[in-house]
Amino acid sequence: MRGDSEAGMTDDVLPIQPAYWPIRGEPRIPGSKSITNRALALAAFACGESHLRGALFSDDTLLMVKALRDLGIQVETSPSDHSITVHGCAGVLPAQHARIYVGNAGTVARFVTALASVGRGTFTLDGSERMRERPMGPLLRALGALGVQAESVAGSDCPPILICTTGLPGGAVTVEADVSSQFLSGLLMAAPYARSTLEISVPGPLSSEPYVAMTIRMMQDWGLRVFEEREGTARRYRVPAPQLIEGRQYTIEPDATAASYFMAAAVIMGGSVRIRGLGRSSLQGDVAFADVLRTMGAGVDFAEDILTVTGTDALRGVSVDMNAISDTVMTLAAIAPFAESPTRIRNVAHIRYKECDRIEATATELRRLGLRVLTHPDGLTVYPGTPRGAPVETYNDHRIAMSLALVGLRTPGVLLRNPSCVSKTFPDFFAELQRLSDPPVEM
């Protein structure tokens, strides 16, 4: 798995080297993408300087930094010590015109569209070919109902997006959040800088609910007032406005989704890993992936800020609703062939609209490895089996790539196409997986 010619890696294909011993140790997990991008947004609108420690430096977070700079925010990065300094605009965006490129970063696209509506001027937002297929309609309709001109240039509800705004008026609005919770999170983070209080209603299902909880908790940690009411499945959020906050020092947790790959590696190979910086009080809902592994038979121990996962000799298949932790669907699918019974993953239809159709992509590549997989409108079923080596596609999707690499730990001959796509969230993933896969050093 080494990223050099000696290990057989080219620009296009990476042979995954099987591990012939249990994986043990403490993986070095980068900062959370979700927390980094939310912290950048909060710091951008604060008064004065904010210093973010433990920040993730990856494609998605650097796109967020670039977008904020395009909006006139001064941002200084220091990759060597994983820190970012943001000079906040005190709720008033400096730029009146900007052309913003978001690549295939859905978080950046949705957050920045909402945040730009606070400004005064004309802003355009565009992305990669795949981003031009990812829906923005619910957010655009919500902004339009509030008096902001925000529209899909092609009329497809997808980027390119044109935003013409004289500021966010406030008022009451309804937003659909069954496809992406990012529509709601973006509106929540923009709301304090509206001209008057904003009330947001979500009448139906809310996908990936822990990410909204993360947004609210971070806003409150930074001193912003947010109020939530629930009635059945309906939710209502009230954000008083205008509000201003002071810049601050803020430490970013390790990325729980990135940690899931090493938890899975320990389960697949019968080892044990310790994840420092994650515990039950984590902001990130994806720490609950460890509970899924416990249900499958793995050993799981939560200390205050250390999560330990230990593999098992008898891995059980599970039937699990993964809506709240849908970024770990592919991780579980990679483990499932090694269980003693089928694994059914439910209620994740929305991941068809991610970097790729993750349900079909995962099923297609596991079948390419000789495994039996059934797809359903809301998920998939993976049956026990013995994978065979084969070249597999990654669909330029970092989570597909990292998950399929796990199968290669037990299966010789897995060849990963376009491995560099992991730079979206975890540039050093293969080096770190190799480090933990190396044989133990004899003393």
Side-chain angles (χ1 to χ4, degrees):
M1 278 173 290
R2 294 180 180 86
D4 54 36
S5 58
E6 182 180 348
M9 180 176 177
T10 71
D11 290 340
D12 300 312
V13 179
L14 174 64
I16 302 300
Q17 178 181 331
Y20 296 103
W21 35 81
I23 285 180
R24 300 184 184 278
E26 294 186 4
R28 295 185 287 253
I29 307 297
S32 163
K33 179 196 79 169
S34 299
I35 296 178
T36 299
N37 276 345
R38 283 166 173 78
L40 283 167
L42 292 167
F45 282 79
C47 301
E49 288 186 2
S50 293
H51 302 279
L52 311 181
R53 297 187 296 253
L56 171 66
F57 281 80
S58 71
D59 291 352
D60 275 22
T61 55
L62 293 176
L63 285 166
M64 186 70 176
V65 167
K66 177 64 164 56
L68 293 177
R69 287 172 173 164
D70 289 341
L71 291 172
I73 308 296
Q74 184 181 348
V75 184
E76 300 161 3
T77 60
S78 180
S80 61
D81 63 0
H82 307 285
S83 68
I84 301 176
T85 299
V86 182
H87 301 265
C89 68
V92 180
L93 279 179
Q96 296 184 346
H97 304 278
R99 298 179 64 86
I100 300 165
Y101 181 76
V102 301
N104 194 18
T107 304
V108 180
R110 281 91 181 237
F111 288 4
V112 171
T113 295
L115 294 171
S117 72
V118 172
R120 291 177 173 270
T122 302
F123 309 96
T124 59
L125 181 147
D126 201 0
S128 66
E129 183 178 350
R130 174 59 181 171
M131 192 67 234
R132 288 186 169 195
E133 299 173 342
R134 299 180 68 180
M136 300 274 286
L139 177 58
L140 301 181
R141 289 189 287 273
L143 291 173
L146 290 170
V148 175
Q149 181 185 342
E151 58 188 34
S152 166
V153 173
S156 62
D157 278 352
C158 303
I161 304 297
L162 174 66
I163 305 160
C164 298
T165 180
T166 57
L168 190 61
V173 71
T174 297
V175 64
E176 303 162 11
D178 56 332
V179 171
S180 175
S181 64
Q182 294 164 1
F183 305 141
L184 175 57
S185 286
L187 283 173
L188 286 168
M189 288 190 290
Y193 313 105
R195 289 194 288 271
S196 63
T197 295
L198 181 60
E199 293 187 357
I200 307 168
S201 296
V202 181
L206 173 59
S207 72
S208 303
E209 183 174 354
Y211 287 96
V212 176
M214 174 193 293
T215 301
I216 293 172
R217 187 168 157 189
M218 287 185 66
M219 289 176 68
Q220 293 171 337
D221 287 347
W222 282 63
L224 293 166
R225 289 172 290 149
V226 185
F227 304 95
E228 179 181 8
E229 298 176 3
R230 298 192 184 198
E231 185 174 338
T233 59
R235 296 165 175 82
R236 183 179 296 107
Y237 304 88
R238 183 171 64 87
V239 185
Q243 298 185 61
L244 284 179
I245 53 175
E246 297 295 326
R248 64 191 55 222
Q249 302 266 352
Y250 190 80
T251 300
I252 292 161
E253 294 178 3
D255 193 292
T257 316
S260 77
Y261 306 114
F262 297 95
M263 299 181 211
V267 169
I268 289 172
M269 298 306 300
S272 182
V273 296
R274 290 160 50 94
I275 314 294
R276 291 191 178 273
L278 293 180
R280 279 293 182 197
S281 61
S282 171
L283 286 167
Q284 300 169 80
D286 279 1
V287 295
F289 181 72
D291 294 321
V292 177
L293 298 181
R294 178 188 280 122
T295 302
M296 299 181 81
V300 175
D301 179 62
F302 277 99
E304 183 176 350
D305 65 346
I306 297 178
L307 167 60
T308 303
V309 175
T310 304
T312 175
D313 292 334
L315 196 63
R316 299 185 294 269
V318 292
S319 178
V320 58
D321 182 333
M322 297 192 75
N323 185 278
I325 56 171
S326 60
D327 277 347
T328 64
V329 165
M330 293 70 62
T331 321
L332 180 58
I335 298 171
F338 306 107
E340 296 175 342
S341 56
T343 291
R344 169 73 162 96
I345 298 170
R346 299 181 278 106
N347 197 20
V348 292
H350 63 283
I351 70 172
R352 293 185 181 276
Y353 305 98
K354 294 283 191 175
E355 282 81 345
C356 66
D357 180 338
R358 285 178 167 171
I359 293 174
E360 294 299 332
T362 300
T364 297
E365 299 314 309
L366 290 179
R367 289 171 185 147
R368 202 186 303 274
L369 294 172
L371 298 165
R372 182 187 176 201
V373 184
L374 297 181
T375 59
H376 315 283
D378 76 328
L380 65 162
T381 300
V382 182
Y383 290 84
T386 302
R388 62 169 180 253
V392 290
E393 301 293 338
T394 60
Y395 303 82
N396 203 32
D397 187 326
H398 56 135
R399 304 218 180 279
I400 297 287
M402 289 185 276
S403 298
L404 290 174
L406 298 174
V407 181
L409 294 176
R410 286 264 298 262
T411 306
V414 174
L415 305 175
L416 208 64
R417 298 190 187 278
N418 187 25
S420 62
C421 66
V422 302
S423 64
K424 183 175 172 68
T425 54
F426 199 162
D428 296 330
F429 171 74
F430 294 111
E432 192 61 13
L433 190 61
Q434 180 69 61
R435 186 179 71 83
L436 266 70
S437 300
D438 282 340
V441 177
E442 293 186 11
M443 301 299 291

